[in-house]
Amino acid sequence: MKHERPHRPGGPSIHVIGGVMVDLIMGPVTPWPRPGTETFVDHSELRAGGPAGNTGLALKALGVPHHIVCNVGNDMFGAWLTETFGEVARNWPQVATPTALSVGVEHPGGERSFLTTAGNLAVQTPESMLAMLPEEATAGDIALLTGSFLYLDLIDAFATMLAAVSARGFAVALDTGWPSDGWTDAIKASTVACLAHCDHVLLNEIESLSLSGEQTVEAAAGWLANRAKPGAIVVVKRGGDGASAWHDGKVTHVPAPAVAVIDTTGAGDTFNAGYLGALLDGATLEDALRAGVAVASAAIASSPRRYVSLDVALR
């Protein structure tokens, strides 16, 4: 459901920094195919995706003012993504590489395996990302770095970039995603350096536990809060159990409704859109969590993807 909220000229926006790519979802597959064989599957879907793409599509559907900081390849997929995102894609740089592509292979039970090419993501730079952001943020602007681990060569540079984003007056939000090489000591150190500049930490349960090394979500949230910017909000996305947030020593939890799960790809990204969109609209922390959970729940229970409006999500 698309909900057109009034555009506020000169008002705050969400600036989503991250990869927009092509997602090809196929399945189900069981067992994993043997080399040299052919396997037929029941369905497939080609769609715009990537962490920033999923978030941007949800923000567009919710009517939340936003921009997406990314590039695209100079191939037919890059042209297709630019057309799909419309006005928000008007200033996306086109680079001389194929567009990043991710193939999601579904398995019985809802789990998926992903095969991803770096494509245009491999030639992105912090300087080009910063160049696409305003030199000075409008009051209330939020900058979300999402899927940072897709940029394999930039992981160590993101802390410096986020410091610059914060210095421009943006509230900084971070959703790292899952590192392809696992949570090595180097990955953890780079992530901790990023946390120091974050006003909102948006990780899921397994990411929080893996990064912190703690055994419980509560302990992991405390660990994250101690390393984030003073006063930061730590959100842990908990799937079917909803979402919890820790802020100023208090915890707020919102349960998730029971839904028939159809497509979980990008669930965390759609949560981010609902949560940050509600905050941009002046919602309380509890209501922002409620909006994030409602938007994500509607998304994973629909195909083609459906979004509830922020007004409905906040009821």
Side-chain angles (χ1 to χ4, degrees):
M1 177 187 300
K2 184 174 181 179
H3 177 66
E4 295 289 352
R5 304 182 73 79
H7 180 67
R8 295 159 288 186
S13 299
I14 296 174
H15 298 255
V16 185
I17 307 168
V20 175
M21 53 203 296
V22 176
D23 283 348
L24 174 60
I25 310 298
M26 305 182 71
V29 173
T30 182
W32 191 256
R34 292 176 56 192
T37 65
E38 182 173 15
T39 300
F40 284 90
V41 296
D42 292 339
H43 70 273
S44 66
E45 182 182 359
L46 184 73
R47 65 191 186 197
N54 292 329
T55 304
L57 289 173
L59 290 170
K60 180 180 179 180
L62 297 172
V64 176
H66 68 283
H67 306 276
I68 302 179
V69 175
C70 71
N71 60 14
V72 290
N74 64 344
D75 55 7
M76 66 177 186
F77 282 140
W80 175 61
L81 289 173
T82 299
E83 180 181 357
T84 297
F85 284 87
E87 179 62 24
V88 76
R90 184 166 56 89
N91 294 320
W92 288 357
Q94 186 181 81
V95 295
T97 65
T99 298
L101 172 68
S102 185
V103 179
V105 181
E106 299 175 340
H107 305 291
E111 291 298 324
R112 297 181 179 189
S113 300
F114 290 91
L115 307 172
T116 302
T117 62
N120 54 291
L121 305 181
V123 297
Q124 183 63 280
T125 67
E127 293 77 16
S128 62
M129 290 175 167
L130 287 170
M132 294 181 69
L133 290 168
E135 289 291 336
E136 184 176 349
T138 297
D141 274 356
I142 301 171
L144 166 66
L145 174 60
T146 182
S148 56
F149 292 139
L150 289 175
Y151 296 95
L152 300 178
D153 295 332
L154 302 185
I155 293 172
D156 290 335
F158 278 136
T160 299
M161 190 190 81
L162 291 182
V165 172
S166 180
R168 294 185 185 188
F170 290 91
V172 174
L174 176 66
D175 184 349
T176 61
W178 187 266
S180 59
D181 292 332
W183 292 94
T184 64
D185 290 342
I187 287 290
K188 289 181 178 180
S190 297
T191 306
V192 168
C194 289
L195 291 176
H197 308 291
C198 292
D199 301 277
H200 302 272
V201 180
L202 304 170
L203 302 182
N204 65 30
E205 194 163 345
I206 186 64
E207 291 163 353
S208 302
L209 295 172
S210 299
L211 171 58
S212 67
E214 300 289 350
Q215 299 301 308
T216 67
V217 172
E218 292 75 15
W223 188 95
L224 293 167
N226 287 335
R227 287 156 179 79
K229 186 184 296 184
I233 299 172
V234 173
V235 175
V236 178
K237 294 172 277 188
R238 310 180 75 170
D241 291 330
S244 304
W246 285 259
H247 183 229
D248 289 341
K250 298 179 181 179
V251 59
T252 304
H253 179 75
V254 171
V259 297
V261 177
I262 296 175
D263 181 1
T264 61
T265 303
D269 303 322
T270 56
F271 173 92
N272 295 345
Y275 169 79
L276 294 175
L279 289 179
L280 198 75
D281 215 44
T284 65
L285 176 56
E286 182 176 359
D287 282 346
L289 287 176
R290 183 174 295 110
V293 168
V295 172
S297 297
I300 67 173
S302 57
S303 182
R305 183 143 284 181
R306 180 180 64 87
Y307 303 95
V308 299
S309 71
L310 283 181
D311 291 339
V312 170
L314 291 170
R315 288 176 186 170

